[in-house]
């Protein structure tokens, strides 16, 4: 089974370092009340409770180069909960430039709520390299084995 430790480490870095520098306050993983009455565990909530965020480490393309529709659907799901959150500011933070660009394209086409802000989070080189390595290992794990036997004459 794919190890998600690196992705969690990236989320922690974004929450602890990048968001503090960018927004000037501490953020924590926290459960937030939703407008219809339920709750949802968000990746990052500001110390004053006014800002909620989801953090994605997914790229917009699969290992074979196709659009990563399932990963984009996950981000859409996160956006749904951002909309339901009782917060002043809603953020979708994306560590992968291609996913950030895909989200901006969707927003430009009017398919994303305007109350959600997107930001591209540039990771430190070492952390980015480990994330790519982890993603590569996970991709190999779920890819079907390739037939390496020669074709019969």
């Amino acid at each position: 089974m794919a190890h998600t430790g690196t992705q969690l480490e990236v989320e922690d870095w974004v929450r602890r370092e990048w968001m503090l520098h960018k927004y000037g306050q501490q953020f924590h993983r926290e459960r937030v009340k939703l407008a219809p009455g339920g709750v949802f565990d968000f990746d990052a909530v500001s110390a004053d409770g006014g800002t909620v965020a989801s953090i994605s480490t997914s790229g917009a393309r699969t290992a074979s180069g196709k659009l990563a529709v399932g990963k984009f659907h996950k981000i859409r799901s996160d956006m749904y909960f951002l909309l339901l959150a009782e917060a002043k500011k809603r953020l979708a933070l994306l560590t992968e430039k291609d996913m950030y660009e895909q989200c901006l394209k969707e927003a430009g086409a009017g398919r994303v709520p305007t109350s959600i802000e997107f930001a591209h989070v540039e990771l430190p080189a070492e952390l980015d390299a480990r994330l790519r390595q982890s993603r590569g290992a996970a991709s190999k794990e779920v890819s079907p084995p390739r037939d390496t036997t020669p074709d019969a004459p």
Side-chain angles (χ1 to χ4, degrees):
M1 184 160 162
H3 179 64
T4 58
T6 304
Q7 285 82 356
L8 294 175
E9 185 180 347
V10 168
E11 285 183 23
D12 286 343
W13 181 86
V14 170
R15 193 172 27 252
R16 186 181 63 249
E17 304 290 335
W18 189 87
M19 293 185 82
L20 175 62
H21 176 70
K22 176 84 173 172
Y23 300 104
Q25 62 178 307
Q26 294 286 323
F27 284 79
H28 302 282
R29 183 181 302 267
E30 196 170 316
R31 183 169 287 172
V32 172
K33 187 175 190 254
L34 303 176
V39 294
F40 185 77
D41 293 330
F42 284 94
D43 296 327
V45 179
S46 61
D48 67 6
T51 302
V52 294
S54 64
I55 301 169
S56 171
T57 62
S58 296
R61 301 272 168 199
T62 64
S64 64
K66 296 178 183 175
L67 188 62
V69 175
K71 293 174 183 179
F72 194 74
H73 283 316
K74 167 65 169 95
I75 291 172
R76 283 184 189 248
S77 171
D78 290 344
M79 286 191 280
Y80 172 73
F81 285 106
L82 286 168
L83 286 175
L84 295 178
E86 295 183 350
K88 294 176 190 152
K89 186 176 236 178
R90 296 165 178 87
L91 305 170
L93 306 177
L94 309 153
T95 64
E96 299 307 304
K97 184 102 170 137
D98 63 344
M99 185 62 86
Y100 172 69
E101 290 169 354
Q102 182 67 34
C103 288
L104 290 181
K105 183 178 172 183
E106 291 289 309
R111 292 189 293 260
V112 172
T114 57
S115 63
I116 296 175
E117 296 176 37
F118 294 100
H120 175 243
V121 177
E122 201 160 324
L123 299 174
E126 183 269 333
L127 189 55
D128 186 55
R130 288 201 345 244
L131 178 61
R132 292 187 189 294
Q133 182 181 22
S134 173
R135 190 178 301 127
S139 177
K140 285 180 188 174
E141 188 176 297
V142 298
S143 297
R146 294 185 182 191
D147 185 8
T148 57
T149 58
D151 291 336

